[in-house]
Amino acid sequence: MEVHESSEGESILDLSRLNLETLSFDHLSEEKKKETQMLFLPYNRLTVLPGCISLFSSLSWLDVSNNGLAFICDDILRLSNLKTFVAKNNRLDESSLPKDLSTMSLEVVNFSGNRFEEFPRQFLQLHTLQSISLGGNRLKGIPPEIENLTSLELLYLGGNNITSIPPELANLPKLSYLVLCDNRIQSIPPQLAQLHSLRSLSLHNNLLTYLPREIVSLVHLQELSLRGNPLVVRFVKDLTYDPPSLLELAGRTVKSRNIPYFAEDLPDNLLTYLDLASKCPNPKCGGVYFDSCVRHIKFVDFCGKYRLPLMHYLCSPECSSPCSSSSQSDADSEDESSVPVHRLQKVLLG
């Protein structure tokens, strides 16, 4: 049992993977206990976090993940310098935490992979919290009191049983990362558009059928994950193509081949019709279309993270077919800014 320093100069005591069922620090000097700042106890057999943990008065980081913890003693409240508390993959629930946890100055808590059915009330009183991870629990909802955590920057609640998002979540001015994937959420409150610091929003594998239009006002949003929702699945399945009429085929030929025509040669209705030609946004296609077009959803996937889906209107199926000279991947690689705005439609309603 030795204390060593990290590259940042912090004193670390690592007791990981020792099959410990109890803790004893009798062989550790008082000086070593006092100077230890990081204590690692993952992958042991602890069922209760014992009171002797309070002997480490300078502790700022405590990791007790992957044990069998069902209870955390009140002695942890004596760790006045503790900032990061990691207790992933244990057996903790609402009755496992000290009632006065709010007296601490915790900034990061990670209790993912436990048995919480309700959001811990003690966390809602920790106004210093910057990061909360409660993924892989049994949470059924998010309490409105979440708005009290005004210092929160990351909220990870993926893999629970959450069905709705309270509008009060929008009152977190510093929230940058919001993970709500793998839940049962059916709608997004438009108030989330007030999260002006939000950079990443993970909503994949839920029950979303639409997104509020207000979501486009999240100007700092860099990642939006939507896969596995009816919103995406239905749009992809519903893409249809109506064959062009003889009128449109003739009009396409006139416009794409620049066949000259004059006002005295054609009726007014045909002249008006020819003026309505829309150019195909595929940069490798010189075609045009009038009434008949292909609706094509454009998704850009970065490690499973989708940007907002955009609707392309293409002149024919070949413009988006992988088998054609203008492949789908080529069209998708086009910078959206090079496509005229009126050729694209943000798909925000299912």
Side-chain angles (χ1 to χ4, degrees), residues 3-13 35-38 60-61:
V3 177
H4 62 277
E5 287 191 357
S6 68
S7 56
E8 290 78 20
E10 297 170 309
S11 298
I12 299 175
L13 177 58
E35 69 182 23
T36 300
Q37 295 172 282
M38 305 178 73
S60 63
W61 184 301

Side-chain angles (χ1 to χ4, degrees), residues 12-75:
I12 299 175
L13 177 58
D14 191 348
L15 301 176
S16 305
R17 302 179 184 274
L18 297 178
N19 292 321
L20 299 175
E21 296 182 2
T22 59
L23 291 179
S24 174
F25 302 106
D26 294 340
H27 302 292
L28 200 64
S29 69
E30 294 300 321
E31 182 181 356
K32 292 294 185 182
K33 293 174 187 176
K34 186 175 181 179
E35 69 182 23
T36 300
Q37 295 172 282
M38 305 178 73
L39 176 59
F40 292 90
L41 292 165
Y43 295 98
N44 282 293
R45 299 181 181 181
L46 302 173
T47 58
V48 175
L49 189 61
C52 60
I53 205 77
S54 63
L55 298 173
F56 298 89
S57 57
S58 299
L59 207 62
S60 63
W61 184 301
L62 175 61
D63 188 346
V64 291
S65 302
N66 299 91
N67 280 276
L69 286 178
F71 182 74
I72 296 175
C73 64
D74 289 348
D75 295 87

Side-chain angles (χ1 to χ4, degrees), residues 208-266:
L208 297 173
T209 57
Y210 72 95
L211 290 179
R213 289 186 178 274
E214 290 83 356
I215 207 78
V216 298
S217 65
L218 294 172
V219 294
H220 293 107
L221 192 66
Q222 298 176 0
E223 294 178 332
L224 174 63
S225 178
L226 292 172
R227 70 184 190 277
N229 279 285
L231 164 71
V232 174
V233 175
R234 190 170 74 197
F235 272 123
V236 173
K237 287 184 178 180
D238 285 352
L239 298 184
T240 58
Y241 176 63
D242 297 323
S245 63
L246 291 177
L247 175 63
E248 177 152 349
L249 288 174
R252 289 188 180 196
T253 300
V254 170
K255 300 297 288 189
S256 61
R257 298 188 180 182
N258 295 317
I259 297 176
Y261 59 89
F262 304 95
E264 58 269 20
D265 297 333
L266 298 172

Side-chain angles (χ1 to χ4, degrees), residues 266-286:
L266 298 172
D268 290 342
N269 63 318
L270 291 183
L271 289 171
T272 302
Y273 183 79
L274 289 172
D275 289 340
L276 296 176
S278 297
K279 184 179 179 182
C280 181
N282 188 330
K284 295 187 178 182
C285 176

